[in-house]
Amino acid sequence: MPPRRADEADEIVVTADRYGEAKVAAESEFDEEEIASHGADSIQDLLARLSPFIDPSGEEPVILINGKPAGFDRSILSYPAEALQRLAVLKPEAAAQYGEPAGKRVVNLILKKHFSMWNADAGVDFATAGGQVGGKLSANRTAISGDTRWNATARIGADSAFRKSARALPPREGVFDSVGFVSAPDGGEIDPALSLIAGEPVTAAAIPPEWLAGAGAGAGVPGLADFAATANALHPVDPNAYETLQSSRRTASLAIGVTRPLGAFTAALNLNASRSSSEGERGLPMVSVLIPAGSPWSPFADDVLLTRPFAGERALRNANDSTALGASLTLNGSIGSWQTNFGVNYGRNLASNLLETGIDRTRIQQAIAADAAFDPYGPWDESLLLATRGRTRSENLSARLNVHKTIIDLPAGPMVWNLTANASRNRSHSWQEGGDAGAVERRTTRHQTSGQMTLSLPIARRGEAGPAWLGDLSLDLSASTQAMTGSRAQKRYGANVSWSPWSIVQLRGSIDRAEAAPSFDQLDAPIETTVTRVFDYARQEVAEPLWITGGNPDLRGGSRQSVSLAATLRPLGGQALTLNLGYRQSVAKGGVAGFPELTPAIEAAFPERVTRDAEGRLVAIDARAINIARDTDAELSSGIALRLGQARAGERSKAAPEPLQISVSLNHRFRLKSELLTRSGLPAIDQLRAGGQSRHNLSMQLSVGKRGIGANLSGNWSSPGRLRGAADDADAAFRFKPPLTFNLSAFVEPDRLFALSGKKGALNGLKISVDVRNLFNGYRRVTLADGRVPSGYSRNEIDPLGRTLSLTARKRF
């Protein structure tokens, strides 16, 4: 037999899925080189930087790990970005395949088969104008060996308090003295006898030092000679030095995650613990009380007014502490022909808060009149401070089961049936004392169950099923129900159609109708009282009312219907250029919404939520969630994404230098309608014409880099908005002009840049990053109709922190 020629050799074709591939094709992918060009330290950081290419709306995507649902496994987000082989953004119809609501984006994280890394990070951040500085330290260990992987991350961080005195801001009205003094109620001479001893007219006299320290209490009443020694001696202080615009913060956390095969399943166990605390200052507490003539503590012939701080320079405090513990278990595998994902999650949280609001003047005045032993000049007991204290203990146990299988293989592809069941139990026990309500204790337990069914139906596939002109066509149908303790069952229906008549065009449409009930937190979250800085449009002044948040058990359910249409065009046939156009409309009836900005229209709709004093000043705002009659939104969105420097699979030589990766995204949102009807019988609020909202929003991102060096510039701009002030006063309209803000980040890895990899030294494995937020120090400018800047809207009052700079050093071991 003659020898076989080379061109007659047997041809063997091997077809297999790519490692980590999901069941739905990717819409776009990012390979190792492009991931490295962004300089992200963790997968969570990477997802944030790629947000414009994943979902420009910024909504958190559904996460898959090597093609399998992550479930409750959140430890993957702390893995270093270097652990990724690639990142795939799946087509929009993927959400239904994994039991998620239509429209949610799905990201598949494909990890390297073998990877090991130790790394430590140290960073510092500060405001370039001064006044605030923070720091962080973290250590991470990650190891991957096939289907077995584990990760441990420890973090600590601290931020200093940002004081009002760090900026040129107007101080509070009033007298602020670090010692305290007596004066005449009418402001004149205190006592002629005191003036005679002092040798000059005395209109004010500081508290004698020995009585201020409490040492004089045993010596009886201070005499005129004691006050003569402090005649006309005051100790004024800057009140801004005792107020913080941002509280000091401390954080610490530890997270451990382990994933390994367990029979026919893959099991992921995660444990986490965190601790955070913050403490702010609310100003120097001052009080004025009357000491009548004849009081055992008064040597004066007439009544005097005692004005003093509570305890020297001790400021009012606003402190919060929280401790959280959590554990989760996720199982992925197959049971017969069913692909299953099961997860259970447990979380426990302990929190406490303290808000001091002032000095109990009424009790002190009563004690001066009725208790001869009460020393008005010496140290005061802490019980004389007005304060609200609260503690909360809550726990949540939840479970999720998702199963799906192919019902039948159709010519256009498999028909997939997907079932998802969720169950959760939430318990909370809160206790609060202080304030007008006195001591309040609440115990709540709520259960919630839900189920969803999705049917994915392929109708046509290009070149295989259906007429050629039809291209790829698929339909997803979903139905779900949810029930919670204390409310009726809510139903949800949805349909999503995806059509690609040509390979470069993708058209999508969806409709969704859902009945919705308030969440656990909206109903049962503990009541918290803080103080916030808001602008009072009614009085055109800055106010600092009590801000009340927490659960509102009176909330009712509602419904929402939404329609969306979207088109994606890739004219170059690959991922280099992508054009997007979308339309979305939603109408919510009787739903739940967060309490909006307190405009005159909102105050008119919810007068019971606003408390004012006799002079009309804001005292408190009940900012818990509200029910609304109707909320209507409609918008157009468009975007363009350009990615350069990518090489097709197999085209890049190992010897060839890595190309520069360039990506640009530009997204525009045009709000057609935003109308809020708070209550029946009231006029609807057009939030675009008179509610202060912007009609246009433009965001951009530019990334340039490769392994070892790169930079990212992001920007955001919104069109001016207009807010009507007093209903009948056109001159009281406020005009908002948002800034064009830019953020810049850059990184450099000296060992890669100077070919030092593999060599020992301090630079080996080192990455230095810099991030600048609000690069040009812009702020939202506010003017009245005549061009004047209203009180409370100066540069430092709108954004006192301004530009911030972060420096981070990361070392790989």
Side-chain angles (χ1 to χ4, degrees), residues 285-287 308-310 357-361 364 380 384-386:
M286 299 291 298
V287 67
R308 59 163 288 178
F310 179 76
T357 56
I359 303 173
D360 193 341
R361 180 183 181 277
I364 293 172
W380 284 348
L384 294 175
L385 275 178
L386 296 172

Side-chain angles (χ1 to χ4, degrees), residues 470-483:
L470 193 56
D472 293 339
L473 180 63
S474 64
L475 176 67
D476 296 318
L477 302 173
S478 64
S480 65
T481 183
Q482 174 180 292

Side-chain angles (χ1 to χ4, degrees), residues 275-435:
R275 167 80 177 173
S276 64
S277 63
S278 65
E279 184 164 335
E281 295 183 354
R282 300 198 49 252
L284 188 66
M286 299 291 298
V287 67
S288 293
V289 292
L290 191 71
I291 301 180
S295 167
W297 294 93
S298 175
F300 307 110
D302 298 313
D303 298 346
V304 294
L305 191 67
L306 171 64
T307 301
R308 59 163 288 178
F310 179 76
E313 298 189 20
R314 182 203 185 284
L316 294 172
R317 296 176 296 165
N318 181 14
N320 295 275
D321 292 278
S322 177
T323 301
L325 302 172
S328 70
L329 175 66
T330 302
L331 297 173
N332 276 296
S334 300
I335 300 178
S337 59
W338 292 92
Q339 295 293 319
T340 64
N341 174 268
F342 173 75
V344 61
N345 183 74
Y346 175 78
R348 185 179 180 88
N349 185 275
L350 303 173
S352 63
N353 60 80
L354 166 67
L355 175 67
E356 296 176 340
T357 56
I359 303 173
D360 193 341
R361 180 183 181 277
T362 301
R363 281 187 60 194
I364 293 172
Q365 191 69 68
Q366 290 173 348
I368 291 174
D371 186 359
F374 178 77
D375 180 2
Y377 309 112
W380 284 348
D381 187 84
E382 291 280 327
S383 64
L384 294 175
L385 275 178
L386 296 172
T388 301
R389 293 175 173 83
R391 294 195 303 269
T392 302
R393 181 175 68 250
S394 62
E395 62 177 9
N396 175 269
L397 178 64
S398 56
R400 183 179 191 271
L401 174 65
N402 173 257
V403 297
H404 61 274
K405 67 174 293 186
T406 298
I407 300 175
I408 186 173
D409 285 315
L410 299 175
M415 180 190 296
V416 178
W417 189 26
N418 193 301
L419 299 173
T420 302
N422 295 279
S424 60
R425 183 195 68 193
N426 190 82
R427 290 180 175 175
S428 66
H429 178 201
S430 61
W431 171 86
Q432 181 175 321
E433 70 170 1

Side-chain angles (χ1 to χ4, degrees), residues 180-201:
F181 58 90
V182 294
S183 61
D186 59 2
E189 187 179 28
I190 297 175
D191 189 329
L194 176 63
S195 299
L196 181 63
I197 297 174
E200 59 178 335

Side-chain angles (χ1 to χ4, degrees), residues 127-152:
T128 57
Q132 196 274 336
V133 65
K136 59 184 178 181
L137 293 171
S138 68
N140 178 279
R141 168 61 171 162
T142 302
I144 303 174
S145 179
D147 292 332
T148 300
R149 61 181 185 270
W150 71 277
N151 171 271

Side-chain angles (χ1 to χ4, degrees), residues 2 15 144 177 211 215 220 291 296 333 342 373 408 468 625 661 729 736 745 750 789:
T15 303
I144 303 174
D177 190 281
W211 271 268
I291 301 180
F342 173 75
I408 186 173
Q661 303 285 335
D729 187 359
F736 301 91
S745 63
V789 176

